[in-house]
Amino acid sequence: MNKQLQALIDSAQQKWAAERASGRPRVNVCVDTSSLARGAEETLQKMHEVARTQNIAVDINVTGSWGFCWLEPTVTVRTAAGTRTVLYAEITPDRVEEFLQQTVVEGVDIPEWALGVVEGNPTGEIDLLSDHPFMVGQVRRLMANCGTIDPGNIDHYLAHHGYEGFGHALEMSDEDIIKEMLDSGLGGRGGGGFPTGRKWDFLRNASASPRYMVCNADEGDPGSWVNRVLMEGDPHLIIEGMMIAALASNAREGYIYVRYEYPLAVERLQTAVDQAYEKGLLGTDILGTGFDFDMVVFRGAGSYVCGEETGLMSSIDAYRGMPRIKPPFPAQAGLWNMPTNVNNVESYANAPLIMRNGALWWSEVSDQKDKGTKMFTFSGCVNQPGCAEIPYGPTVRELIERYAGGLTEGSELKGFQAGGPLSGILPAHDADLPLALDPYRERGMFLGSGGIVFFDQHTNIVDLCLWMVSFCEFESCGRCTTCQGGSARAVELLRKMENGTARESDIERLRDLIQTLVWSNCLHGQFTLTSVKLALNFFEDEFHYVINHRRDPAGSLDGLHRYVVRSQTDPQLPDAVDICPASAFYDDNGTWTIDDELCVQCGACKEVAPNAIDVLDRFPAREHAAAAAGGS
Amino acid sequence: MKAEPTTQELRKLVADFRPGRGHVMPALHRIQDTYGYITRKAIEVVARQLNTTPALVYGTVSFYDDFRTEPPPETEIKWCSGPACHMRGGDRIRRALEAELNMPMGGHSDDHRYGLHLGQCNGTCHEAPQVWVNEKVVGNLSVVDAIHLARRVKGSE
């Protein structure tokens, strides 16, 4: 091991040990975007306030996320003697005083708030965290530090094998680093699955320099936040991964491109980069090895298409994030037309693990074709919207049952959406597919970067397609007519269905558009109608039903419904009139009526006065709908 | 509302940025972080500092949804357009907010006291459906909650 690095690690380990031997109990509050949404900042402030005013001797710290996003704010407490650490859920500000009093001052557990014992023995009332149903089956490698270390403290990272992978890489040749990466079988975690080692090798063999290392942290797929968990929980892991890649391929400058919507990730990465410079891990002559590497944290400004690698590079070097035509590929002409490697956050984050533990250790966790662990986030009609790290292989249904906590009450799974708006929609029976790349490719979509959104019988498939295609239309960069015009036209056609003015022939028009959008220059246009294509494969009947019957059993196509006053005498009717944001109620000679032209179908009146308001079908029944389905 | 920055102030603010180094976005961010939005003068100053044209700088500003060319409203309701929110009635909340505030998505009141902005999913889907009020999550909203929120923001309740 490099001597300077060893000295940094030794010093960090001493500091870590000293922190733990402070003789005071230690309270760690998870502060990330998910927990902040549930009051973590207030919890943290309250902790400090109570500790100060009540003179409680306690060390209060911040960590990243354990993945229990739906149970935030989560907090761990370690006893003064260091014998035990317990993880607690939902420590809201109003619970802080009681919480500190019991767990810290009196040193007593609160079993009803506890999730599990992190360190030490289970108590009979509190099981080991590793036995918690959410944790069983998870393999925390990427997330090993998430929830346990302070992401704003490089010494915490160094004390947990941080930069050891880079240390190993320093002792290896370029070829050996790349061979190790290839042997591991790591495929690109952004969804493509292309061997990461091969990408690095392309850059290594490029003829020009300077070369650039770019991290795609523009995690724009709605419903996906795996990269955010890593960036906010363990930012140095990503930086170390990029350093290893740079070492192997002779790059001298790195950019981490983070989306605008992740300000905390930007802040934590910037802090991490600054600290790495201070320690001599970034900059010139790193650790006395002669290796130079600079790193820039680059903020996006709200553009989905900048998550496409060439759009991302344009956003850095050419201002507008317009994707470029490939080839040339980034390894030939990327940033400023120089050789560039672009990987996803999670791809880079795996590199230190592979360098530290070897390709074999890394790959044998999974018996699948796809190697290693993968982080997933899940949302929609499930009980536990959270983040888990598992080896590839379990089925989607297992993911729902084991990690997502099952479907919400009353939900019947209708289907799920994986891989973001450019990917597809699959029906419920495909929940038996394993979480691996090939089965989704075979269906013409991709598993993607880890976000999976589940929907139930209350979502109409036309509505879901409209949502996805509208998103893609909004985010089109505008260069290709096929994409900009095509997505706008597809939105129009789906809107006609939503509003009851579509014809059967509109389905054929959608199919035509599917054929022309694939000619778009970049992935964005090429995949904009994947959702519609797969929806027409698996849910075609629903399109015909919506068009011909103009009915929506799911209840989510608002254009096919109208709100009417059912009971003039219902005591809650005045509340309904009052809540209407569109002033759609009018008094027609003592009879309250809803003006269809003004009504925005928001349903607020029905919420406040369920017995006074009815939701009816907007259109009369079509007796010959079946016949209409035949012609167009 | 802050006074519009002068050319001198703007030049000073972006003096350390250099042409050809990918500094357009960072310069624009710094201006927006400082003044809340990007003024016409700022576009000219950035163009000059980075040895490019106002057309290209304006093209950049207009390309991204989160660069502003007007002062932000005092209170901004950012509506989450994400899938988990959508499946829990997010669109109804959007229409109710637009109707109650009498503005389209992206609009603001004449006096800049309040406005409505389209937000992108940031993975706090456990709070769906949600909006952000000046970047703070207000989650698990019913349509009625959203209307009351809009009325409070307007000052009519």
Side-chain angles (χ1 to χ4, degrees):
Chain A
M1 182 71 66
N2 174 288
K3 276 187 184 148
Q4 291 187 32
L5 180 59
Q6 191 60 56
L8 289 177
I9 291 171
D10 290 345
S11 144
Q13 283 174 345
Q14 280 165 17
K15 285 183 202 162
W16 173 259
E19 271 185 48
R20 286 166 68 90
S22 72
R24 291 180 294 272
R26 187 179 182 84
V27 170
N28 284 342
V29 182
C30 162
V31 178
D32 79 334
T33 298
S34 284
S35 73
L36 287 171
R38 295 175 57 84
E41 184 65 41
E42 292 77 6
T43 291
L44 186 64
Q45 278 172 10
K46 185 86 181 174
M47 292 265 180
H48 282 293
E49 183 195 315
V50 171
R52 196 176 54 243
T53 55
Q54 302 187 11
N55 248 335
I56 302 172
V58 57
D59 295 330
I60 300 168
N61 263 270
V62 166
T63 67
S65 169
W66 290 88
F68 289 93
C69 306
W70 72 102
L71 292 177
E72 297 293 352
T74 54
V75 176
T76 55
V77 181
R78 184 171 179 271
T79 54
T83 46
R84 253 155 35 83
T85 306
V86 177
L87 176 66
Y88 291 95
E90 296 189 287
I91 306 303
T92 45
D94 56 305
R95 286 180 167 178
V96 164
E97 202 162 345
E98 185 186 346
F99 179 76
L100 284 182
Q101 184 61 37
Q102 291 206 33
T103 61
V104 173
V105 177
E106 294 167 27
V108 190
D109 294 333
I110 313 178
E112 58 270 30
W113 295 350
L115 286 168
V117 175
V118 180
E119 281 179 304
N121 298 320
T123 63
E125 281 179 300
I126 309 176
D127 291 335
L128 285 175
L129 183 66
S130 52
D131 290 334
H132 189 285
F134 178 68
M135 300 298 271
V136 174
Q138 286 204 52
V139 181
R140 300 273 184 134
R141 289 179 165 185
L142 295 159
M143 290 177 76
N145 288 335
C146 292
T148 59
I149 70 165
D150 178 353
N153 186 339
I154 191 171
D155 283 324
H156 281 198
Y157 182 71
L158 280 163
H160 290 82
H161 307 289
Y163 292 101
E164 265 182 39
F166 176 69
H168 286 294
L170 280 175
E171 291 165 359
M172 296 161 73
S173 66
D174 302 351
E175 290 91 340
D176 286 346
I177 296 173
I178 282 165
K179 182 172 181 305
E180 199 70 20
M181 293 299 290
L182 286 171
D183 287 349
S184 74
L186 171 64
R189 290 319 201 224
F194 190 82
T196 304
R198 272 204 19 228
K199 258 195 184 178
W200 294 8
D201 205 29
F202 290 151
L203 190 69
R204 189 175 73 90
N205 290 318
S207 49
S209 58
R211 301 161 183 200
Y212 296 97
M213 197 52 62
V214 174
C215 175
N216 185 345
D218 194 58
E219 186 175 42
D221 289 338
S224 180
W225 67 95
V226 295
N227 292 346
R228 200 200 79 209
V229 168
L230 270 187
M231 291 189 281
E232 293 177 348
D234 199 11
H236 284 285
L237 189 65
I238 300 148
I239 296 169
E240 187 186 349
M242 290 178 73
M243 288 164 61
I244 293 165
L247 194 63
S249 54
N250 242 337
R252 290 291 171 264
E253 199 172 353
Y255 285 86
I256 309 179
Y257 188 101
V258 192
R259 69 196 287 246
Y260 181 82
E261 290 80 359
Y262 286 175
L264 185 63
V266 170
E267 188 188 314
R268 294 220 166 130
L269 282 164
Q270 189 61 58
T271 302
V273 165
D274 293 346
Q275 292 180 349
Y277 270 105
E278 282 165 27
K279 296 276 187 198
L281 287 160
L282 286 173
T284 49
D285 191 20
I286 291 168
L287 303 172
T289 61
F291 171 58
D292 304 337
F293 190 57
D294 284 303
M295 181 93 76
V296 174
V297 180
F298 199 98
R299 275 163 82 194
S303 166
Y304 177 72
V305 81
C306 291
E308 200 278 344
E309 62 181 8
T310 62
L312 186 155
M313 293 189 300
S314 291
S315 183
I316 297 174
D317 70 13
Y319 323 155
R320 278 166 78 86
M322 313 274 278
R324 307 169 187 177
I325 295 169
K326 287 193 281 195
F329 291 95
Q332 302 158 299
L335 278 182
W336 291 286
N337 280 322
M338 300 312 286
T340 302
N341 177 68
V342 187
N343 280 136
N344 171 270
V345 166
E346 204 180 328
S347 308
Y348 283 124
N350 272 299
L353 306 179
I354 294 168
M355 288 302 122
R356 195 196 306 156
N357 302 298
L360 185 66
W361 170 88
W362 188 88
S363 62
E364 69 186 5
V365 69
S366 164
D367 54 5
Q368 303 286 311
K369 189 178 149 200
D370 304 304
K371 297 300 177 191
T373 57
K374 178 79 193 78
M375 291 167 69
F376 290 97
T377 54
F378 19 88
S379 61
C381 61
V382 291
N383 288 317
Q384 304 179 354
C387 177
E389 179 182 355
I390 51 175
Y392 282 106
T395 64
V396 173
R397 209 174 293 283
E398 283 173 87
L399 183 85
I400 297 173
E401 294 307 327
R402 294 178 70 164
Y403 307 111
L407 299 169
T408 47
E409 204 186 331
S411 279
E412 290 162 35
L413 187 67
K414 181 169 174 178
F416 58 100
Q417 194 271 309
L422 297 178
S423 185
I425 303 166
L426 290 177
H429 64 76
D430 273 344
D432 292 324
L433 289 178
L435 292 159
L437 302 187
D438 280 348
Y440 299 85
R441 276 196 198 122
E442 283 157 17
R443 277 162 177 71
M445 58 182 283
F446 22 82
L447 179 59
S449 64
I452 302 186
V453 187
F454 298 96
F455 59 94
D456 64 11
Q457 72 276 21
H458 300 300
T459 295
N460 189 300
I461 218 70
V462 173
D463 170 46
L464 189 56
C465 286
L466 180 57
W467 177 81
M468 290 171 77
V469 181
S470 299
F471 178 91
C472 297
E473 183 212 10
F474 186 79
E475 299 292 346
S476 169
C477 87
R479 171 130 57 197
C480 305
T481 302
T482 49
C483 170
Q484 191 189 27
S487 59
R489 186 72 185 117
V491 167
E492 263 174 43
L493 292 169
L494 291 163
R495 277 224 188 281
K496 281 171 73 182
M497 294 177 193
E498 186 197 29
N499 294 328
T501 57
R503 296 158 178 257
E504 270 289 301
S505 55
D506 289 335
I507 292 183
E508 287 318 304
R509 291 183 187 178
L510 278 176
R511 290 194 205 275
D512 287 345
L513 289 169
I514 292 169
Q515 298 301 319
T516 52
L517 261 89
V518 295
W519 286 327
S520 305
N521 281 330
C522 84
L523 297 176
H524 187 86
Q526 289 159 16
F527 292 128
T528 280
L529 291 184
T530 312
S531 56
V532 175
K533 189 176 164 186
L534 268 76
L536 283 171
N537 278 354
F538 297 114
F539 300 94
E540 185 173 347
D541 290 351
E542 202 162 329
F543 283 83
H544 292 295
Y545 191 86
V546 165
I547 292 171
N548 294 314
H549 293 270
R550 297 184 293 184
R551 291 281 187 272
D552 166 32
S556 75
L557 278 178
D558 292 327
L560 297 183
H561 302 287
R562 61 188 289 253
Y563 289 80
V564 296
V565 178
R566 174 170 55 181
S567 163
Q568 296 290 333
T569 54
D570 188 276
Q572 286 163 320
L573 181 58
D575 297 334
V577 174
D578 181 59
I579 197 69
C580 179
S583 306
F585 285 82
Y586 64 98
D587 186 348
D588 187 8
N589 287 324
T591 305
W592 282 106
T593 308
I594 297 174
D595 184 333
D596 283 339
E597 294 292 311
L598 293 176
C599 175
V600 294
Q601 282 114 20
C602 72
C605 55
K606 181 80 177 163
E607 270 181 28
V608 295
N611 299 317
I613 306 295
D614 257 347
V615 187
L616 303 181
D617 293 313
R618 175 171 289 270
F619 298 99
R622 266 184 178 159
E623 287 177 13
H624 304 296
S632 52
Chain B
M1 206 184 303
K2 260 186 202 159
E4 234 187 74
T6 64
T7 303
Q8 257 182 333
E9 286 168 331
L10 289 162
R11 276 192 192 149
K12 206 173 148 195
L13 188 65
V14 299
D16 57 328
F17 290 114
R18 295 285 172 267
R21 301 290 315 271
H23 283 175
V24 175
M25 297 267 286
L28 292 171
H29 273 308
R30 192 183 289 172
I31 287 164
Q32 184 159 301
D33 289 347
T34 309
Y35 297 104
Y37 70 112
I38 294 156
T39 60
R40 283 183 66 89
K41 263 186 215 149
I43 285 169
E44 290 167 0
V45 166
V46 169
R48 194 173 142 152
Q49 177 70 27
L50 298 179
N51 200 17
T52 178
T53 68
L56 285 172
V57 177
Y58 179 73
T60 309
V61 172
S62 67
F63 184 82
Y64 300 92
D65 296 323
D66 290 295
F67 282 138
R68 304 166 183 274
T69 51
E70 283 189 279
E74 266 169 60
T75 305
E76 182 171 75
I77 301 182
K78 202 192 265 187
W79 168 81
C80 181
S81 59
C85 291
H86 179 77
M87 285 165 195
R88 294 181 183 204
D91 269 29
R92 289 176 190 159
I93 289 173
R94 173 186 180 149
R95 292 194 299 269
L97 289 171
E98 288 174 333
E100 183 62 47
L101 298 174
N102 192 27
M103 61 181 64
M105 193 55 66
H108 59 73
S109 62
D110 290 341
D111 58 5
H112 287 269
R113 272 205 310 116
Y114 53 89
L116 200 52
H117 191 79
L118 189 135
Q120 298 295 350
C121 179
N122 71 349
T124 49
C125 306
H126 34 84
E127 305 305 297
Q130 62 179 301
V131 298
W132 294 271
V133 180
N134 289 350
E135 305 300 334
K136 189 142 182 65
V137 172
V138 183
N140 296 305
L141 282 175
S142 65
V143 180
V144 171
D145 293 338
I147 293 169
H148 285 304
L149 172 70
R151 286 178 183 171
R152 282 197 301 277
V153 164
K154 268 177 21 179
S156 67
E157 195 171 87

